[in-house]
Amino acid sequence: MSAEDREYLQAIRALSFDDRDWTSAAIEEMRDFLSPWNHNIRLAPGIYTAFVEDWYPEHEAIMNVVERHLIQGFAGKRVLDLGCLEGYFSVESALHGAEVLGVDAKEINLKKCEFVRSVLGVPNLSFALDDAMNVTRERYGSSDVVLALGLLYHLKNPVSFLANIAKLCEGFLVLDTLVALEERPQRISDWQPELSDIREFAFGERTYRGRLYREYQPGAGEEERAFSTTASYTNELSVWLTESALVDALSDAGFEQLEKIVFPRRENNWWSDPDEGRVLYVAAGSRRFTSAIFDSPVDQPEG
């Protein structure tokens, strides 16, 4: 890592956006200082983080899924956005009335989120710098909606993560992730991830099939990890579960209802090509229908 990169990282860490009065020129200057951007967010008329005057189709698709499953809308709901990156989904949910917490382990990402929140003036939105594996009900409370978008395949223990989320999720989880293909090579657009052969992973008392994915080469330093804003937090290797193993892991965690959102190939989005192995699921816990025709089971007294 060059001295220039180290100085830039230190400057990022020192940024504070408290009580800022943002002019268009100041917004553009800070946006450019924090570039490049993965999320496109309109900061002011004609000013966008990614210089595109529209939202990304996949982001629109995800928000359509969230809104459809929020039967009574965003107002009054608690949304937890894990691996929030630069905050698009957090900000969008908050501007629709939800109380939102975005969590990300990368300092550069959090500074971008704080910048966006400051510019847009969103009071019902907060961010935390933390490892997604540390997110538990005891630490962060419960949420009505949990977003885990592009996160699971960057974890060393995705099964424990899902178990933690199931305990704090009182509504539904929206999960966008890559899964390991069982029988064929995996290529995502022009990217061929470095994956191991299929193997068994023991998590708790169960085993799950998947592949190891290399996030960093051995010896990667702190600065390299800090600038790799879409990679894992600390682990060199992550686990990509197969889709069958993912379904098992969600069920084992306590998500009883799983819905896979499927798109035709002609859509040409992240999830439309099964050969790439990217999937979008909505997972919910126990929801019991009370029949008007049949008697509901009566709980038996203990002992």
Side-chain angles (χ1 to χ4, degrees):
M1 184 66 62
S2 68
E4 183 179 358
D5 285 339
R6 292 192 187 95
E7 290 178 3
Y8 177 73
L9 187 57
Q10 291 173 357
I12 291 282
R13 290 169 172 165
L15 287 173
S16 174
F17 304 114
D18 295 336
D19 301 320
R20 291 288 299 267
D21 184 15
W22 293 103
T23 64
S24 294
I27 293 171
E28 290 181 327
E29 181 181 7
M30 184 57 66
R31 175 203 60 189
D32 295 346
F33 178 73
L34 293 170
S35 291
W37 291 78
N38 294 283
H39 287 178
N40 190 41
I41 302 168
R42 185 174 62 189
L43 301 172
I47 304 176
Y48 299 80
T49 56
F51 305 94
V52 179
E53 295 185 1
D54 201 356
W55 59 355
Y56 297 145
E58 290 84 0
H59 292 182
E60 179 182 5
I62 287 171
M63 291 310 304
N64 283 337
V65 168
V66 174
E67 184 180 42
R68 187 172 70 248
H69 286 79
L70 276 174
I71 299 173
Q72 295 180 332
F74 287 87
K77 296 296 191 300
R78 297 156 297 173
V79 175
L80 177 62
D81 185 7
L82 296 175
C84 61
L85 200 58
E86 297 158 357
Y88 164 73
F89 298 100
S90 296
V91 172
E92 188 76 83
S93 299
L95 288 174
H96 277 82
E99 292 289 332
V100 182
L101 172 64
V103 179
D104 202 282
K106 300 296 180 78
E107 289 179 291
I108 293 176
N109 292 342
L110 255 291
K111 287 299 182 181
K112 291 180 178 181
C113 290
E114 291 170 358
F115 163 62
V116 171
R117 178 186 61 187
S118 176
V119 169
L120 296 181
V122 190
N124 50 318
L125 171 63
S126 59
F127 294 101
L129 182 68
D130 205 350
D131 186 341
M133 295 302 298
N134 294 334
V135 175
T136 63
R137 189 183 185 100
E138 292 74 22
R139 190 178 180 98
Y140 286 101
S142 62
S143 290
D144 300 298
V145 181
V146 179
L147 307 178
L149 309 172
L151 171 66
L152 195 73
Y153 57 94
H154 291 302
L155 303 179
K156 187 176 181 179
N157 189 337
V159 175
S160 291
F161 170 78
L162 291 174
N164 289 340
I165 298 312
K167 291 175 183 176
L168 65 81
C169 182
E170 295 189 347
F172 60 90
L173 161 71
V174 181
L175 178 66
D176 158 51
T177 190
L178 286 163
V179 293
L181 302 180
E182 286 264 14
E183 304 294 341
R184 56 192 186 276
Q186 195 153 351
R187 190 175 190 88
I188 297 99
S189 296
D190 295 327
W191 173 49
Q192 188 163 3
E194 186 177 338
L195 295 166
S196 72
D197 294 336
I198 286 282
R199 61 182 66 184
E200 300 280 343
F201 296 94
F203 294 118
E205 299 179 354
R206 294 287 305 274
T207 59
Y208 303 85
R209 289 173 63 80
R211 299 180 190 270
L212 285 172
Y213 163 64
R214 179 162 294 282
E215 301 268 359
Y216 304 102
Q217 296 303 316
E222 178 185 353
E223 290 86 1
E224 179 181 344
R225 295 170 186 268
F227 280 99
S228 300
T229 55
T230 59
S232 70
Y233 177 42
T234 57
N235 45 291
E236 289 184 1
L237 298 171
S238 298
V239 173
W240 290 20
L241 299 172
T242 66
E243 187 167 3
S244 177
L246 173 62
V247 170
D248 287 343
L250 285 164
S251 178
D252 293 341
F255 291 106
E256 296 185 4
Q257 297 183 353
L258 306 179
E259 175 187 351
K260 183 178 180 181
I261 311 299
V262 180
F263 296 85
R265 281 182 178 264
R266 66 176 181 271
E267 289 290 319
N268 193 29
N269 63 28
W270 291 343
W271 314 281
S272 60
D273 186 351
D275 293 329
E276 292 189 353
R278 190 152 188 160
V279 296
L280 182 61
Y281 274 88
V282 178
S286 175
R287 294 180 181 176
R288 291 288 178 258
F289 173 72
T290 301
S291 174
I293 298 175
F294 299 98
D295 294 334
S296 298
V298 178
D299 292 337
Q300 298 298 319
E302 296 182 1

